[in-house]
Amino acid sequence: MRADRLISTLLLMQARGRVTAGELAAELEISVATARRDLEALSAAGIPVYPQTGRGGGWSLLGGARTDLTGLTSSEAQELFLLLGPAASSPEARSALRKLLRAVPAPFRQDAEAAADAVITDPTAWSESRSVEEPHRALLESAIVARRAVRITYAGWQQEARERTVEPWALADKDGTWYLLAGTPNGRRTFRLDRILTAAATDTTFERPAHLDAEATWRESVEEVERLRATAEAVVLVDRRLLSFLRRQFGRNCVIEEELDDGRVRVRIAAQTPTLVARFLAGWGRHTEVLGPPEVQQELAQIGRELAARYP
């Protein structure tokens, strides 16, 4: 769902007071079904957008035609920008979002701005994509907006669960897997939401670091993790048609070195161990060719022998 389209929908409703899905579709050059889904999404997110049935019906923004968003309550403003923020990925959409923020009542503007920055969308997966309903996500979103510290019980990878208090800065949706970007006494940390066993907001408030750019900070965290993971490299010839899948799997650790005339691409990929590199590539069979190092080739050969023995 595009943020610029949702913003345009709201501004159109403010200008006209009431619109039908058909009118909205014609104005924004989208299908009627898409227009209806956008209106329903705004309503479901808690924005005061509601339908009226019967002759002369349509969709209205509570309070009728306005040129600003002064009719929004604090909670409605927060829900609106929680919805719009992650979708505003283009410079144009971010510019439109900033203009819309200025239309929010001044007392609510700080919270609305915090809500717009509360969620980051990162489409590149670190593992198999999966969408899971995270039970603590709503609480963490509220704590991010309210600038309240959160007490969590966290079980890290191959670590015992322990309780800690963190300052939540933003959430990141990394292709269906959610992460919390937070400040701790030991500096910035990233926590996977599915490893947070319990979470409770405290009465302690905090100030975000001055000039914090949540997206830039998240990119730094990702690069740091990927540097730690990229200890084993391999040079691979891969069918060009599979390049997007390889990039999705290895993210920034998939670098194109050369495009060949036979429809293949030579890439350099990296993971934590030669075994993991081999496991990622084994499923592609004849569509990939590992040029080196020998450790990855040997791991692939071992996988092949094991499969041949099991499925003669």
Side-chain angles (χ1 to χ4, degrees):
M1 188 180 299
R2 292 179 58 83
D4 49 358
R5 194 174 70 227
L6 293 176
I7 292 169
S8 297
T9 298
L10 283 171
L11 295 177
L12 192 64
M13 295 180 74
Q14 291 169 31
R16 297 186 181 178
R18 181 180 301 170
V19 295
T20 65
E23 291 170 344
L24 185 61
E27 186 76 27
L28 302 183
E29 298 181 348
I30 56 178
S31 69
V32 174
T34 297
R36 189 174 293 112
R37 282 196 298 269
D38 286 355
L39 290 163
E40 290 171 350
L42 288 170
S43 179
I47 313 306
V49 173
Y50 64 96
Q52 289 183 323
T53 59
R55 187 173 182 179
W59 289 76
S60 300
L61 187 63
L62 187 63
R66 290 190 298 271
T67 56
D68 56 28
L69 297 177
T70 54
L72 293 179
T73 66
S74 176
S75 61
E76 289 168 349
Q78 289 178 32
E79 289 295 337
L80 172 62
F81 287 96
L82 277 171
L83 177 67
L84 295 181
S89 55
S90 69
E92 295 81 6
R94 298 303 295 183
S95 176
L97 194 63
R98 286 193 294 271
K99 292 177 182 177
L100 198 62
L101 274 168
R102 289 197 290 271
V104 172
F108 307 154
R109 199 169 298 150
Q110 183 176 350
D111 286 351
E113 188 171 5
D117 293 333
V119 180
I120 301 162
T121 300
D122 185 345
T124 305
W126 268 328
S127 57
E128 184 180 351
S129 176
R130 60 190 188 86
S131 294
V132 178
E133 185 64 31
E134 302 292 355
H136 308 302
R137 180 178 150 197
L139 181 145
L140 292 170
E141 285 179 346
S142 298
I144 290 167
V145 173
R147 302 289 193 265
R148 289 193 177 278
V150 176
R151 187 175 297 107
I152 63 173
T153 304
Y154 188 75
W157 173 250
Q158 294 183 334
Q159 296 177 1
E160 291 186 3
R162 70 183 184 90
E163 191 175 272
R164 64 189 83 192
T165 300
V166 302
E167 298 176 352
W169 294 345
L171 292 172
D173 174 8
K174 194 163 179 60
D175 194 38
T177 301
W178 286 81
Y179 295 84
L180 170 66
L181 188 65
T184 75
N186 296 321
R188 180 195 71 212
R189 291 291 184 271
T190 303
F191 304 93
R192 270 181 60 153
L193 261 63
D194 60 357
R195 293 177 184 163
I196 296 177
L197 306 181
T198 65
T202 70
D203 293 329
T204 304
T205 59
F206 66 91
E207 292 291 332
R208 290 181 77 185
H211 309 298
L212 172 70
D213 184 331
E215 289 195 22
T217 303
W218 170 249
R219 287 195 298 270
E220 290 173 4
S221 296
V222 169
E223 290 169 2
E224 183 178 320
V225 169
E226 291 184 345
R227 278 196 301 271
L228 293 173
R229 291 184 170 195
T231 55
E233 289 189 340
V235 178
V236 184
L237 294 179
V238 59
D239 189 313
R240 186 178 289 109
R241 292 171 297 180
L242 300 181
L243 185 58
S244 62
F245 296 100
L246 212 61
R247 281 175 163 170
R248 189 176 183 86
Q249 182 65 65
F250 290 93
R252 295 171 179 81
N253 291 327
C254 175
V255 179
I256 297 176
E257 292 194 335
E258 184 182 3
E259 295 194 19
L260 307 181
D261 295 334
D262 62 359
R264 295 189 298 174
V265 181
R266 187 171 71 191
V267 298
R268 184 175 296 275
I269 60 176
Q272 289 168 284
T273 66
T275 301
L276 283 178
V277 174
R279 287 176 181 174
F280 287 138
L281 295 175
W284 296 112
R286 62 183 176 83
H287 297 290
T288 63
E289 179 185 351
V290 176
L291 303 181
E295 292 83 1
V296 175
Q297 294 171 333
Q298 291 164 7
E299 290 289 347
L300 280 168
Q302 179 61 31
I303 292 172
R305 287 191 291 270
E306 292 172 356
L307 290 173
R310 176 159 294 184
Y311 307 105

